[in-house]
Amino acid sequence: MAFNIKLLLAICSVALFFTLVSADLSKEDIDGFVEEHNKARAQVGNRPLKWNATLAKYAQDYADKRVDDCAMEHSMGPYGENLASGEGMSGAAAAKYWVTEKEFYDYDLNKCVRDECGHYLGVIWGKTTEVGCGISKCKNGLNYVICNYDPAYNEEDHPY
């Protein structure tokens, strides 16, 4: 009987793990998210982010809630967050898109020269250690992409 209980616990643990790691994301999607974030972070000398299944589940749950309207509205949750949408948009494409805001960041002044670099700062912020993302296909045909970061970017702190 003890063997069956151990086997059952092992099966439940594996099932829970795969529930937390979104079934909607392929390994290629996850790798794309992480690799593009870490390329940008390496350019400013920050350590790489690690994938976090809890953040990914939070992100996927929120992406799934936006399927009807694909609205670019933040979840207002406890994590840092970047959003994007586009036809066939992948995780790697979304991260690359956020990094395009780099041009609006002035390293000498240590601030955004326009109010359009918050997504970039979310990607590169040095205190952030983990990322988790989700993708859903909206009813309008666009992919809704979200990444959550922990700890979140804090404007009052040094951004990178």
Side-chain angles (χ1 to χ4, degrees):
M1 185 65 127
F3 174 78
N4 290 337
I5 291 173
K6 287 181 182 177
L7 179 59
L8 180 62
L9 286 173
I11 291 169
C12 288
S13 296
V14 170
L16 178 61
F17 173 78
F18 284 111
T19 299
L20 291 175
V21 177
S22 174
D24 295 334
L25 292 182
S26 68
K27 181 177 178 344
E28 181 180 332
D29 282 326
I30 293 170
D31 290 347
F33 277 122
V34 173
E35 288 172 16
E36 290 304 323
H37 276 80
N38 288 338
K39 281 181 193 177
R41 293 173 67 78
Q43 289 177 355
V44 295
N46 289 337
R47 66 181 179 251
L49 296 178
K50 294 180 182 175
W51 186 258
N52 179 299
T54 301
L55 294 174
K57 180 170 179 3
Y58 180 89
Q60 189 62 54
D61 287 348
Y62 188 71
D64 291 343
K65 287 179 184 176
R66 300 266 52 126
V67 169
D68 288 334
D69 62 10
C70 215
M72 291 288 101
E73 296 175 9
H74 288 280
S75 70
M76 306 310 285
Y79 308 113
E81 189 168 273
N82 280 345
L83 305 173
S85 71
E87 189 173 339
M89 183 172 279
S90 67
K96 285 179 185 179
Y97 172 71
W98 296 322
V99 172
T100 64
E101 294 179 359
K102 178 180 182 175
E103 69 180 286
F104 303 119
Y105 186 75
D106 185 318
Y107 288 90
D108 293 331
L109 297 176
N110 192 28
K111 67 178 187 174
C112 294
V113 292
R114 290 177 32 191
D115 289 336
E116 299 178 22
C117 73
H119 297 102
Y120 172 64
L121 293 176
V123 169
I124 67 159
W125 194 53
K127 291 185 179 179
T128 299
T129 57
E130 298 178 314
V131 63
C133 308
I135 301 174
S136 287
K137 183 122 183 156
C138 296
K139 289 183 177 178
N140 66 7
L142 301 179
N143 283 355
Y144 188 92
V145 183
I146 175 174
C147 283
N148 289 107
Y149 305 94
D150 193 40
Y153 163 66
N154 178 349
E155 287 184 23
E156 296 171 8
D157 213 345
H158 193 277
Y160 70 96

